[in-house]
Each structure stands twice: as C-alpha cells, then as structure tokens.
Amino acid sequence: KAGVTQTPRYLIKTRGQQVTLSCSPISGHRSVSWYQQTPGQGLQFLFEYFSETQRNKGNFPGRFSGRQFSNSRSEMNVSTLELGDSALYLCASSSGTNTDTQYFGPGTRLTVL
Amino acid sequence: DQQVKQNSPSLSVQEGRISILNCDYTNSMFDYFLWYKKYPAEGPTFLISISSIKDKNEDGRFTVFLNKSAKHLSLHIVPSQPGDSAVYFCAASGNTNAGKSTFGDGTTLTVKP
C-alpha cells in the first residue's frame, strides 16, 4: 500500500497570505488528522476529519480550517498567515477507531516571512 | 494543561545498553497509548502501542510498559543501537476522541557507538 502523501513538501509565504496544504491518506483509511509541530514542541492537534465530517477539533484559531473529500483526501487552509504559523504540518491517516494506529505523512514545512 | 508529558527532553546512552524513555499522562479517559519515532524532516513513524487492558507489550527490541494506577508508561529499547538515535514521542488516545492523539513534547535519544 502507498503511504500517506502530503503536498507540497515545502512552502514559503509572506504574512497576510493564505495557504492550502493537501494530504492523501492510505487507501481505505477514512480518518485524516492534522497536527502542527513547531521547533522544540510536540505535535499539536489541529483537527480530524472522518467521512467528510470534522469529528474533533483542537485549540487553534478560526484561521485554520480544513475539509475532507469523498475520496478521503483532505486539505488544510490557513488564512491571514502570521510569522508564528511557521511550522511542520503533519497529516496522519487511520481507519478512525481509537485503537487504530495513525500513520503519518512526511509533512509540509511552511515558512512565513 | 498538558495531558501527556515527557519530562526528559533528552537521553544519551551507550550502544548495547538499555534506553528507557518515560511518559506520564493525566487524563484517565486515555485507553490507548503509542510510541512514535521521528527523524528530522520526516513524519513520525509508529513504533509500538499498548491498550489499557495490558501492562506490557513487546516487539523485538522494543517493550512498552503501562502502569495505569500511576498513569505512567515507559519504552525500553534493548539493546540500543546508533540507528535508534531520534526523537521519541509518546501519544495517547481515548474512546471519546478517536482520530485525535495527544502527544508529549518528545525525548531526543542519542545512542553513542
């Protein structure tokens, strides 16, 4: 099976712009979760989509949003970028049960100048 | 309020010796725990997991121990190898938030030859 893919791998934006990141989960997986990792920090949960519905949400401002398509692919959007949004954004896919392992993609490294 | 804590940011051990990485959690609703390994510029890779109905799970050189009463888990690597050098994240999830894992901040393990 192909693993989780994320595009683009690297992105440079300026403050105030918006960005869209894409994640393709492992075939058959219906859950896609998004995490933010900043230097020296653990993974902070953004949100999780299951069968096209947002099922869980972390403590991030409304500038961070996402969606999931019928083929389980997911996109994450960040509007009005701030310097502090510079981070590695990781997506993980799973079958969606709490005892199922999440498999991570390689991440998208976003730099905001 | 950090629900999953890895109190040691770093750990250094000699090749061939045992590495013990620790993790504490506060949320008693967590019932599934995982360890991930992460290399720079890559997404986390699943290592081993344990359900709350068990107190030990073993996979080759890796063993995870769970002490529910103390809300503590540990990862033992025996024998440690230089290739094990990476950041190790502890994560937890529960029935009420499938698809959402809460991560610790990670422990950087360095195995010296």
Side-chain angles (χ1 to χ4, degrees), chain A residues 41-62:
Chain A
Q41 297 293 310
L43 281 68
Q44 304 297 315
F45 175 77
L46 280 152
F47 31 66
E48 182 239 358
Y49 286 86
F50 181 80
S51 294
E52 301 179 66
T53 301
Q54 188 180 85
R55 187 168 63 168
N56 286 295
K57 189 176 187 306
N59 297 321
F60 277 80

Side-chain angles (χ1 to χ4, degrees), chain B residues 10-83:
Chain B
S10 63
L11 174 69
S12 181
V13 300
Q14 208 64 36
E15 181 179 6
R17 298 291 191 105
I18 183 172
S19 295
I20 300 177
L21 296 97
N22 294 302
C23 178
D24 296 295
Y25 63 96
T26 56
N27 190 337
S28 56
M29 298 301 290
F30 288 146
D31 59 5
Y32 190 62
F33 305 90
L34 311 95
W35 284 94
Y36 288 87
K37 176 179 175 180
K38 186 179 185 300
Y39 295 114
E42 293 183 12
T45 303
F46 169 72
L47 209 51
I48 192 169
S49 63
I50 188 166
S51 165
S52 59
I53 61 173
K54 294 185 174 182
D55 55 18
K56 177 183 174 181
N57 189 26
E58 199 169 348
D59 183 2
R61 297 186 297 114
F62 303 90
T63 303
V64 56
F65 295 92
L66 175 63
N67 183 333
K68 280 186 65 180
S69 60
K71 293 190 176 69
H72 176 84
L73 62 155
S74 61
L75 173 69
H76 293 210
I77 307 174
V78 183
S80 302
Q81 299 173 353

